[in-house]
Amino acid sequence: MLRFLRHIPPYIPTLLVYVIICYLSLDADPFHDSKRLFVFPGSDKVVHFIMYCGLTATFCFDYYRHRVVRSGSWLLPVALVVAIATGGVLELLQTHMGIGRTGDYVDFIANSLGAVVGLVAGRKIFVRLFTL
């Protein structure tokens, strides 16, 4: 059933998610009517959490579908560090690029928590899925 997934080039899904996150983070108004998007205070933090959770979970998907499962792999912690660093850099760029957006340390915390949860969940889900 999962054989068709192996034909997707390695790490293309992760790269696509990464590019989408960068676009959404650095565009001045990515949704053009964000007042309807955020329906409760702090809902943008939920969006940040979901984006970075998706990023690291997608990395786990790519990693486990193309590699033999090894304990102690160095790629997964590196992916976590890259995701967290990307969140921090994008928050700084929002403040300093002059695009009408401001960086927020709470967004950075939501990004980081999402990355950690995505990595943990992705490891549990995809290691089982691709080793069956």
Side-chain angles (χ1 to χ4, degrees):
M1 178 179 147
L2 297 174
R3 287 185 184 180
F4 74 94
L5 292 176
R6 296 189 192 277
H7 297 293
I8 300 170
Y11 299 101
I12 293 297
T14 300
L15 183 61
L16 287 173
V17 172
Y18 190 85
V19 168
I20 290 168
I21 288 173
C22 289
Y23 169 75
L24 293 174
S25 297
L26 296 177
D27 187 32
D29 189 16
F31 296 108
H32 306 295
D33 191 11
S34 59
K35 291 184 174 134
R36 290 190 317 199
L37 179 67
F38 302 115
V39 293
F40 60 89
S43 61
D44 66 316
K45 308 312 181 230
V46 174
V47 172
H48 281 267
F49 180 89
I50 291 169
M51 287 192 312
Y52 284 84
C53 184
L55 176 62
T56 54
T58 304
F59 182 85
C60 288
F61 165 78
D62 279 332
Y63 176 78
Y64 286 114
R65 75 189 174 102
H66 285 290
R67 295 185 68 89
V68 175
V69 177
R70 290 186 235 162
S71 61
S73 171
W74 60 272
L75 275 178
L76 295 174
V78 168
L80 179 64
V81 170
V82 168
I84 291 171
T86 297
V89 168
L90 290 175
E91 290 301 320
L92 290 172
L93 286 173
Q94 286 177 355
T95 298
H96 297 293
M97 283 182 60
I99 57 175
R101 298 182 68 175
T102 58
D104 184 2
Y105 73 92
V106 181
D107 287 348
F108 174 69
I109 292 170
N111 297 344
S112 300
L113 289 174
V116 170
V117 169
L119 187 73
V120 170
R123 283 189 68 194
K124 289 194 179 287
I125 293 167
F126 296 119
V127 73
R128 290 183 182 147
L129 188 65
F130 290 111
T131 58
L132 293 177

